[in-house]
Amino acid sequence: MNAPATRPRTSRSTTGGHEPTLEIDLAAVAANTRRFVRQARGEVMAVVKADGFGHGLHAMVRTALASGATWLGTTSITEALAVRATGVDAPVLSWLNPVDADVTTACRHRVDLAVPSENHLAAVVEAAAWSGYRARVHLQLDTGMARDGAAPDEWADLMTTARRAEIAGHITVVGVMGHLARADEPGHPANTTGLRVMLSGVGTAEQAGLRPSTRHLAATAATLTEPETHLDLVRIGAGLVGIDPSESTRLRSALRFTAPVVQVRRVPAETGIGYGHTHVTDRATNLALLPVGYADGLRRDASEGAWVLVAGRRCPVAGVISMDQVVVDLGDDPVQPGTEAVVFGPGDDGEPTVYDWAHWAGTIPHEIVTGIGHRIRRSIR
Ligand SMILES: *Cc1c(COP(=O)(O)O)cnc(C)c1O
């Protein structure tokens, strides 16, 4: 049987009922990607780490490339190989690996490797010399985060060694990369400093005789707010799925998370709800039970303040979110069991968004979208 081109908005499980579902709207991802392709001065890398920011690796890769992205980026080699396994031909960069990672397999599958230290470089050169695969390397510089990348006082030695390995035919230095700590604060002086440090690193590379053609520094926020940081390539992750860390641009969210009401009960005033009775009703009301909890990505620390949309009404979470379930307060009007509750979505119909959940949980939307549990059914449309 052929798979249907589009799937219905609600889904039925093998047991016949509705089930909690994460809908992924690839048209939104495509629209966001095209926006970045238009805005970037150079090329666009789609960053598809963490299972494409929780949206599904395969779907994100396919959609981003079809919408104008020309590079793919991941953290680990394992993730990069998963990208290659989708059959794409575009360059794939992996930037976070231990020194004893399987760089031979990475080279064999034409995975570009970020190199943050002389130890990493030595491992890549050895694997290349031994296997005969010329490695494609991006020198990864610490441009002001004290996180990943080589510190400025290591650059000269790293680049001299890299140039020697290039002449020996083991590697090609195709790129230099940095990352900004405070790009979500447009105009912050740390961004100007980061760009200056990055360009001085490129200068050091050129003095060593290297000719990196792909200089890349900006991620989503800097791409939207600091055009001079674009250089040859921008690396976009959050923006593809509708998150702008600088909150300066309206992008389109691609996720809609729904769950069916399992049970409805009428309770009197003074009823304690859930573990620890952290919520006690102040009036008679109707409660609905949803079969999703913190194991599914409903943050327990959002219990206070969170609400979902049921039958078009905002229904606050009542009591603490459990591992597998949550109770919401319907107020005076009950609904039928089976009614769909919207946990979050793009916000078009008044439902909460991932920004709301992030706010309630005291975190950023990235952590919400990458935190949806594996047992939630995915429905791609
Ligand atoms: C995750 C990541 C990105 C993507 O950042 P967004 O703000 O999500 O676009 C870019 N570069 C590096 C090194 C990353 O780790």
Side-chain angles (χ1 to χ4, degrees):
M1 208 175 77
N2 289 331
T6 55
R7 301 203 189 126
R9 278 174 83 85
T10 52
S11 55
R12 292 193 173 266
S13 74
T14 48
T15 52
H18 296 284
E19 62 179 313
T21 299
L22 187 68
E23 292 172 21
I24 298 144
D25 176 10
L26 295 180
V29 175
N32 294 331
T33 306
R34 285 194 299 267
R35 183 185 205 296
F36 285 96
V37 168
R38 275 197 309 274
Q39 188 157 352
R41 294 182 176 180
E43 293 183 73
V44 170
M45 171 189 289
V47 176
V48 293
K49 61 191 182 187
D51 195 31
F53 280 62
H55 289 57
L57 180 72
H58 199 283
M60 289 297 293
V61 166
R62 193 160 33 86
T63 307
L65 291 179
S67 308
T70 49
W71 285 71
L72 297 158
T74 67
T75 50
S76 69
I77 287 173
T78 305
E79 286 181 313
L81 295 174
V83 172
R84 267 286 170 263
T86 68
V88 300
D89 224 33
V92 181
L93 169 64
S94 161
W95 57 70
L96 185 62
N97 292 289
V99 78
D100 61 351
D102 186 0
V103 290
T104 305
T105 303
C107 293
R108 182 148 37 90
H109 289 89
R110 292 173 291 115
V111 170
D112 290 21
L113 295 166
V115 164
S117 76
E118 285 227 62
N119 286 338
H120 285 82
L121 179 59
V124 171
V125 169
E126 189 187 310
W130 179 78
S131 67
Y133 292 106
R134 189 169 180 133
R136 284 167 50 95
V137 162
H138 297 239
L139 298 171
Q140 187 180 23
L141 310 183
D142 177 9
T143 52
M145 287 190 81
R147 195 185 65 168
D148 38 1
D153 63 358
E154 301 168 326
W155 292 352
D157 288 347
L158 176 64
M159 291 167 182
T160 305
T161 311
R163 178 59 186 150
R164 227 178 286 131
E166 214 176 45
I167 290 168
H170 299 315
I171 67 169
T172 305
V173 175
V174 295
V176 173
M177 70 185 285
H179 198 50
L180 297 170
R182 309 191 70 157
D184 58 340
E185 301 167 74
H188 193 282
N191 300 326
T192 321
T193 307
L195 175 59
R196 187 160 37 80
V197 171
M198 170 79 187
L199 293 177
S200 105
V202 171
T204 308
E206 286 169 349
Q207 276 162 28
L210 299 166
R211 294 291 175 267
S213 55
T214 307
R215 304 160 302 155
H216 45 115
L217 175 67
T220 295
T223 300
L224 291 171
T225 64
E226 314 257 8
E228 65 284 3
T229 64
H230 289 192
L231 305 178
D232 305 308
L233 174 71
V234 296
R235 303 184 305 263
I236 310 296
L240 301 186
V241 301
I243 298 168
D244 169 18
S246 71
E247 296 193 31
S248 64
T249 308
R250 222 182 131 71
L251 302 167
R252 177 116 192 112
S253 173
L255 294 183
R256 188 166 177 273
F257 187 6
T258 61
V261 171
V262 169
Q263 222 182 348
V264 176
R265 78 176 71 231
R266 176 99 188 147
V267 295
E270 306 297 324
T271 302
I273 300 171
Y275 287 124
H277 286 174
T278 57
H279 181 82
V280 177
T281 56
D282 59 4
R283 52 174 166 57
T285 190
N286 297 285
L287 303 177
L289 175 66
L290 307 179
V292 285
Y294 58 78
D296 307 301
L298 270 68
R299 293 284 301 260
R300 190 171 179 277
D301 45 5
S303 299
E304 197 68 46
W307 51 269
V308 302
L309 201 71
V310 185
R313 299 196 308 265
R314 290 184 177 201
C315 300
V317 166
V320 72
I321 294 169
S322 302
M323 183 185 293
D324 318 298
Q325 43 192 311
V326 60
V327 174
V328 301
D329 191 340
L330 296 170
D332 290 333
D333 301 319
V335 299
Q336 287 300 318
T339 302
E340 180 186 81
V342 186
V343 176
F344 59 70
D348 298 341
D349 303 318
E351 74 277 16
T353 65
V354 293
Y355 281 91
D356 292 319
W357 277 93
H359 173 71
W360 296 326
T363 184
I364 54 175
H366 312 54
E367 198 175 354
I368 304 299
V369 300
T370 56
I372 306 304
H374 290 296
R375 67 180 166 186
I376 300 300
R377 178 182 182 280
R378 266 65 174 173
S379 169
I380 295 177
R381 53 191 178 89

